[in-house]
Amino acid sequence: MISAKQKLVIRTDLYRCGRDFVIAAIWLAAIQVFFAIVNLIFGGIGFGDLLDDLRGIFSGWTFIASVTPFVYFLITPYSNFKWTIQNGISRKTLWRSQMISAVVITLIQELAIIIFNFLANGSLSEKIIYNNSISIWWGLLFELLLLFETTMTAMAIGYFFGLLSRKWKLIVAIGGPILAMFVIYYLTLFLSKLGIFELIGANWSINLTGQAAETAIIVTLITCVVVWTLLMMLVSRISAKHMQLRRD
Amino acid sequence: MEALKISHLNKNYGRQTILNDINMTLEPGKIYGLLGRNGAGKSTLLNLIVNRILPNSGTIKLGNDDINDNDAALTQFYLMSEVSLYPKHVTLKQMWEMADLSYGSFNFNRARRLLKEFDIQDENVKLSNLSTGLQTAAKLIVALSVNANYVFLDEPILGLDANHRDVFYQELLKAYEENVKTYVLSTHLIEEIQQLVEHIFILDNEKITVDADVDDLLAEMFVISGPAMLVEEYVKDQNVLGTRSLAGIKTAFVRGALSEEKEIPDQIQIKHPDLQQAFIYLTKK
């Protein structure tokens, strides 16, 4: 049962995310139309080429549909927290509502991507998994899972950054990736010194071209995506629980 | 309606202690004044009560339920504060609709009437396009029309001109008469709220130093003035909070019962202070 407060949050998320998409889509379309006309007038292209240029708008819209929810959930958790707590909506309700919003938005996003892809290329979806044994529907489901994972990652980062002051946001945003690179570099070096890679190489006997190996790769991929999604949900929930009005 | 009970509440920002062991109870259906000097922690306390910020320790309970992350409790609280937490381009109508969806039964009729009283032309105007005073008025309209049992008003008259302040006081009393709720007013214009508030809390040095009905507090405080020597002699054994001298006339502010054994010299005048005078001497460093 969805409460009135949850409905308010979900409605606001859908409206704002949709509005952001429309604004970005209009801008992109305007830019592409402008350059298509410039190309027609000064480039001496034919009418058929103009239509091809204009069809490029749909490719642009596919890209915008892919990134809008990510950007939305990345930058709005703190501002959402502010107006919801002003209206007596708890952190728990905010987070739960945003989870529902994320599911609904991802479904709409997937549908939009399919439609724009079809209009741009004439195919239903870009093939993510190049495997003939997997139907297009399973491919779309996997794409949906990946989109949801991306949204959850954005939400986790957004909520976590919502806990930080401006100064710490800057420190973490710059220092975090640098630290991660150092950690990965030295971890790789360490594993290499231990001879782990040679050990794996010597014992690598899976036939990657076989059906079983392909299924194993897909299962591994899906498991990784699901585990990562759950982890991101946990990060966003914990961050939401500790979110409070900042003094900056 | 249940009482709001705050127990052993502490709040620090880094190494700075803002509130230390705060204990207080807000009863249903009363108008309270929350007073304190600049930086005393009034806004922090109100933000803690409505769960905008989290305490380092201590509890805030509505009846028997902790208010933290509790929708049922938070639906009973509305805090109107100086800082706007609404989205950037929000219109007044959208603010009302949000309050209606979150708290239920928003009083749209009162809100529209108050809009006229505060000389705001249109409910579709953006909050950010209004002057400071009218932004305060717009937020007050929500606070006076929202269906919450505890309404907290942090600096409710910031930027309001005298006419609009008068409108606010009248409308607050009208709203209180129509639907008895608990109102907590935090302001520096103490003189103006003296007639409105029934009970006051004074925050000083991180703690609640006064928790009393206004009448009781003022009844136990005295302003004694007259020739300096006579006043000094008369207040010698009393709890003197402070003194002031001007042209040989000394004024002493005393808290606590006056000695009945001492005869009051004819040249000495004794009266009770107003709330502002009492506040000044109770919070003087």
Side-chain angles (χ1 to χ4, degrees), chain A residues 3-8 11-12 15-16 19 78-94 237 240-247, chain B residues 11 13 16 18 44 47 50-55 68-72 74-75 77-81 83-87 94-95 97-99 101-103:
Chain A
S3 68
K5 286 181 175 182
Q6 285 180 319
K7 274 183 198 161
L8 177 63
R11 202 182 72 178
T12 309
Y15 170 74
R16 290 201 186 142
R19 184 197 58 191
Y78 183 64
S79 59
N80 278 334
F81 165 71
K82 285 202 295 183
W83 75 259
T84 50
I85 202 74
Q86 170 69 69
N87 285 287
I89 299 171
S90 70
R91 294 161 178 82
K92 187 172 60 191
T93 301
L94 169 65
R237 178 68 191 107
K241 205 175 173 185
H242 293 94
M243 196 172 272
Q244 51 183 332
L245 204 62
R246 295 197 309 256
R247 294 179 113 189
Chain B
K11 180 68 184 172
Y13 281 117
Q16 191 189 2
I18 308 294
T44 302
N47 281 329
V50 298
N51 209 211
R52 287 183 185 182
I53 55 175
L54 303 166
N68 187 33
D69 234 0
N70 180 346
D71 268 297
L74 295 181
T75 305
F77 303 151
Y78 184 85
L79 169 59
M80 174 246 157
S81 54
V83 51
S84 175
L85 301 187
Y86 288 100
Q94 286 168 341
M95 288 164 70
E97 284 167 354
M98 280 182 193
L101 284 165
S102 299
Y103 293 91

Side-chain angles (χ1 to χ4, degrees), chain A residues 226-237:
Chain A
V226 170
V227 168
W228 179 259
T229 304
L230 291 174
L231 189 70
M232 290 298 104
M233 285 168 83
L234 186 70
V235 171
S236 64
R237 178 68 191 107

Side-chain angles (χ1 to χ4, degrees), chain B residues 136-173:
Chain B
T136 302
K139 287 187 260 179
L140 279 176
I141 292 172
V142 182
L144 294 174
S145 310
V146 74
N147 183 24
N149 286 327
Y150 285 83
V151 178
F152 303 93
L153 303 164
D154 191 8
E155 294 297 349
I157 40 190
L158 188 81
L160 288 187
D161 61 31
N163 303 54
H164 284 161
R165 289 208 299 273
D166 189 51
V167 169
F168 163 61
Y169 298 133
Q170 299 302 323
E171 290 298 333
L172 175 68
L173 288 175

Side-chain angles (χ1 to χ4, degrees), chain B residues 42-248:
Chain B
K42 303 183 293 295
S43 300
T44 302
L45 179 59
L46 295 178
N47 281 329
L48 283 164
I49 293 173
V50 298
N51 209 211
R52 287 183 185 182
I53 55 175
L54 303 166
N56 291 89
S57 62
T59 58
I60 304 169
K61 286 186 173 185
L62 184 66
N64 294 320
D65 302 323
D66 199 306
I67 61 104
N68 187 33
D69 234 0
N70 180 346
D71 268 297
L74 295 181
T75 305
Q76 302 206 36
F77 303 151
Y78 184 85
L79 169 59
M80 174 246 157
S81 54
E82 185 192 340
V83 51
S84 175
L85 301 187
Y86 288 100
K88 224 178 201 172
H89 302 294
V90 74
T91 65
L92 305 198
K93 197 178 175 186
Q94 286 168 341
M95 288 164 70
W96 300 354
E97 284 167 354
M98 280 182 193
D100 184 47
L101 284 165
S102 299
Y103 293 91
S105 310
F106 183 81
N107 194 335
F108 284 96
N109 290 334
R110 181 184 290 155
R112 289 199 179 97
R113 186 174 56 74
L114 288 177
L115 207 63
K116 284 180 191 157
E117 295 280 352
F118 282 115
D119 306 312
I120 300 173
Q121 306 303 325
D122 185 6
E123 63 191 54
N124 292 309
V125 70
K126 284 181 183 171
L127 180 68
S128 55
N129 287 349
L130 296 172
S131 66
T132 309
L134 290 185
Q135 281 191 26
T136 302
K139 287 187 260 179
L140 279 176
I141 292 172
V142 182
L144 294 174
S145 310
V146 74
N147 183 24
N149 286 327
Y150 285 83
V151 178
F152 303 93
L153 303 164
D154 191 8
E155 294 297 349
I157 40 190
L158 188 81
L160 288 187
D161 61 31
N163 303 54
H164 284 161
R165 289 208 299 273
D166 189 51
V167 169
F168 163 61
Y169 298 133
Q170 299 302 323
E171 290 298 333
L172 175 68
L173 288 175
K174 215 182 271 181
Y176 182 73
E177 276 171 13
E178 282 173 22
N179 190 359
V180 175
K181 294 175 179 180
T182 301
Y183 289 95
V184 179
L185 279 78
S186 170
T187 177
H188 291 295
L189 290 178
I190 301 166
E191 268 180 329
E192 294 192 7
I193 63 156
Q194 182 173 346
Q195 301 306 319
L196 288 172
V197 298
E198 201 178 336
H199 191 102
I200 62 156
F201 297 102
I202 295 181
L203 261 175
D204 195 30
N205 291 322
E206 307 157 6
K207 288 179 182 291
I208 295 280
T209 52
V210 174
D211 175 355
D213 279 348
V214 175
D215 291 344
D216 294 345
L217 177 72
L218 297 183
E220 66 173 31
M221 294 187 75
F222 302 92
V223 183
I224 300 162
S225 56
M229 277 178 65
L230 290 175
V231 169
E232 276 165 22
E233 179 57 29
Y234 185 73
V235 300
K236 207 162 59 183
D237 304 321
Q238 308 286 339
N239 175 22
V240 179
L241 298 175
T243 57
R244 193 183 284 174
S245 294
L246 187 68

